[in-house]
Amino acid sequence: MEFSNFGERFAADIGIAELMDDLGRALAADPAPLMLGGGNPSHVPAVQALFRQRMENILGEQGAFERLIGNYDSPQGSAVFVEALAALFRSELGWDIGPEHITLTNGSQNSFFCLFNLFAGRFGARRRKQIMLPLAPEYIGYSELGLERDFFCAQRPSIERAAGGLFKYHVDFEQLRIKKTIGALCLSRPTNPTGNVVTDDEIEGLRELSRAHGIPLIIDNAYGTPFPNVIYEEVKPVWDEDIVVTMSLSKLGLPSLRTGIVVARPDIIRVLGRMTSVMSLAPGGMGPALALDMVKSGEITRISRELIRPFYKQRAERAVEQLREELEGIPFAIHKPEGALFLWLWFEGLPISSQELYQRLKRKGVLVVSGHHFFPGISGDWSHVHECIRVTYTQSEEDVRKGLSMIAEEVRGCYFWEG
Ligand SMILES: Cc1ncc(COP(=O)(O)O)c(C=O)c1O
């Protein structure tokens, strides 16, 4: 059987597929490996209890469950939910928007497939455009979304060393060049995989550049404000008609309900709705239904600030503390954890590649993600690409503690035996 070019690109090796396969197999394996790899959010009990209660209310209300499961929404998604989101963003963030600026999708992964292929790829017979990632490392899930070759270009960051064995990536504006062939800029903030939060000044710089070039700046707010608010820095959430902001209910605790949110100018929103109608008729309605009350009342902001953020912040702090203790004397650094669900570990001069380290750890029973997957669009030789791994601290405290110990032991062995 022969696959088309379209089919072949999905049949080839794909980092995100490896990650999601690992995740699925790990959940089914016995004994299950320690899952410090995937991006599954924690099961935060107090938040899960709220969703359970909301589901019970739906079940208890005559006909509500039947309406919820029995009807398609429009391609824009649940109208009451979109209306409630617009009101929330106006009141909480001061954004001048209405429902015409918002569409729902089946998860932000799905939003990105549409957005990227809307702004990059072929334009007429001869022109091609790329998505530019102004700061790589960047989210692994972007890397295979383009339907054309050479879909991304990316800029290496500058690296600021900080006290306590920490470092922070910055956008390297001196090197950043926006060619005519760039269709949009995109970054996640907080960033998956590094936990970086690009500063307000950097966002202003990118905003000016994208405006000057007449291209959108896409800000992936999957972990940001006002929900799920897994962000430990005070930053200004920005939107205007030149910016596209994407959000998601996944990291609020509903990843299986596949609900993405896009905030953009109405003409972009209209096209995205059309794409949804072609690909899946309509976005699912369960996520919007479970989150509706908390968005309407504004409670979602309090839940995110008081329940979700402190939960992850404490996890991040414990993980950093443990790694510092167990890796003392090893040349390693941790990206300053400013948000998201991950620690990004940099083993400078690691005697083996991060992919080999990933394989060894997998054999031992702990899953991480090799850093090299997170540099789509970076060309040339850069050893840094093979010196980093991403670990998540969302699993049970015991699993995280054991997993980090196994990582520390393996890394120590690498430097000791092979360095
Ligand atoms: C930065 C970032 N963007 C987008 C997504 C996709 O999220 P979802 O499709 O679950 O909304 C993720 C998932 O981990 C992510 O980390």
Side-chain angles (χ1 to χ4, degrees), residues 107-109 112 139 142 188 192 220 222-223 248 250-251 258-259:
S108 41
Q109 191 65 24
F112 280 100
Y139 174 47
Y142 299 155
S188 56
N192 177 355
D220 181 348
Y223 302 92
S248 167
S250 294
K251 312 305 171 177
R258 313 304 306 125
T259 307

Side-chain angles (χ1 to χ4, degrees), residues 230-289:
V230 190
I231 177 164
Y232 318 134
E233 299 290 302
E234 283 304 318
V235 291
K236 194 165 134 223
V238 289
W239 181 82
D240 65 27
E241 295 235 325
D242 301 320
I243 295 179
V244 177
V245 174
T246 65
M247 302 191 193
S248 167
L249 297 185
S250 294
K251 312 305 171 177
L252 189 70
L254 302 176
S256 83
L257 300 187
R258 313 304 306 125
T259 307
I261 299 158
V262 182
V263 184
R265 349 195 287 219
D267 56 332
I268 298 175
I269 294 300
R270 263 194 306 279
V271 183
L272 292 177
R274 299 229 161 173
M275 290 178 167
T276 298
S277 66
V278 171
M279 292 191 302
S280 43
L281 302 184
M286 192 62 92

Side-chain angles (χ1 to χ4, degrees), residues 34-36 315-316 318-327 343 361 365-366 391-409:
L34 301 167
M35 307 232 290
L36 275 55
R315 287 295 186 87
R318 284 198 189 144
V320 168
E321 204 177 305
Q322 182 184 345
L323 285 168
R324 277 190 182 135
E325 272 169 28
E326 298 199 21
L327 280 167
L343 289 186
L361 289 169
V366 54
V391 297
T392 170
Y393 43 77
T394 56
Q395 299 300 304
S396 76
E397 288 188 83
E398 199 192 336
D399 280 7
V400 174
R401 196 178 37 72
K402 272 199 220 151
L404 293 179
S405 282
M406 284 158 77
I407 295 168
E409 185 186 278

Side-chain angles (χ1 to χ4, degrees), residues 142-162:
Y142 299 155
S143 52
E144 301 296 335
L145 285 175
L147 291 176
E148 294 290 331
R149 282 178 298 110
D150 299 328
F151 198 77
F152 293 97
C153 61
Q155 177 66 51
R156 288 185 198 183
S158 60
I159 298 180
E160 176 198 357
R161 301 278 189 169

